[in-house]
Amino acid sequence: MRERPLNATIAPTIVGSASRVAQRGSTLPESATVDELARAACAGDVEAVGRLYDELVTPIYRYVAVRVRRREDAEDITHQIFERIVAALPRYRDNGKPFAAWAFRIARNAVIDHVRRARPLEPLDAATEPHDEVGLEQISLRGEEIRELRRAIRELTA
């Protein structure tokens, strides 16, 4: 499922300590929870980082895809999210809340950043008076004519 080696995206502090873990092998069972994988990944277990990715990539991608709606953008943002997650692993503290909540907060912030960057900006000069020769007086007169026409229509007999 991963497209490139973990060493290409893992923070150097994790890669440095990964050699110690790789020598003794991963001690995590196949049925390890996301929180157990997160604790192992914070300790430098590269295999745990890969398994975390495998566990979280689909739900995070779905979360992003629903909010972004372009497949390419969703894929790019998901990649950025996992880069942020891996880079922030050394700073992660298990405070009793699920690791997935922490990861989804990173995803939420990445989506917000993307939407803010993608928002079109309009210069203030473009928000001036309409240029189609329609003045405020003409708009007001048109509204009054419409009200008079509606009043006359209501008074018509069948």
Side-chain angles (χ1 to χ4, degrees):
M1 193 171 231
R2 290 183 291 275
E3 294 179 10
R4 55 185 179 155
L6 287 174
N7 292 347
T9 58
I10 295 177
T13 56
I14 293 176
V15 173
S17 62
S19 60
R20 294 187 307 269
V21 175
Q23 290 172 354
R24 64 178 185 248
S26 180
T27 59
L28 291 171
E30 280 297 314
S31 62
T33 66
V34 171
D35 293 325
E36 293 169 343
L37 292 172
R39 284 190 288 276
C42 289
D45 188 347
V46 175
E47 181 185 338
V49 175
R51 288 176 57 192
L52 262 178
Y53 175 85
D54 292 339
E55 289 288 327
L56 293 175
V57 70
T58 302
I60 286 180
Y61 175 78
R62 284 185 192 142
Y63 175 85
V64 173
V66 166
R67 285 152 181 79
V68 176
R69 294 200 173 95
R70 282 192 57 218
R71 191 187 90 240
E72 297 84 8
D73 288 343
E75 291 171 355
D76 291 345
I77 293 169
T78 302
H79 177 76
Q80 292 171 358
I81 290 166
F82 278 97
E83 285 181 347
R84 290 180 187 180
I85 288 172
V86 170
L89 273 175
R91 295 188 311 269
Y92 173 72
R93 298 290 173 255
D94 185 11
N95 58 1
K97 296 178 183 169
F99 178 81
W102 182 76
F104 273 91
R105 179 175 295 160
I106 292 173
R108 176 184 170 270
N109 292 340
V111 169
I112 289 170
D113 291 345
H114 171 77
V115 170
R116 284 181 180 159
R117 279 192 306 270
R119 185 182 306 151
L121 299 176
E122 183 177 326
L124 291 176
D125 295 340
T128 59
E129 292 284 327
H131 298 289
D132 58 354
E133 304 286 332
V134 178
L136 293 177
E137 185 177 323
Q138 289 176 333
I139 293 172
S140 177
L141 289 174
R142 176 79 174 164
E144 185 62 34
E145 289 174 353
I146 290 173
R147 282 190 290 276
E148 287 179 22
L149 283 172
R150 286 185 180 152
R151 196 174 316 123
I153 290 173
R154 278 187 295 231
E155 294 177 7
L156 289 176
T157 60

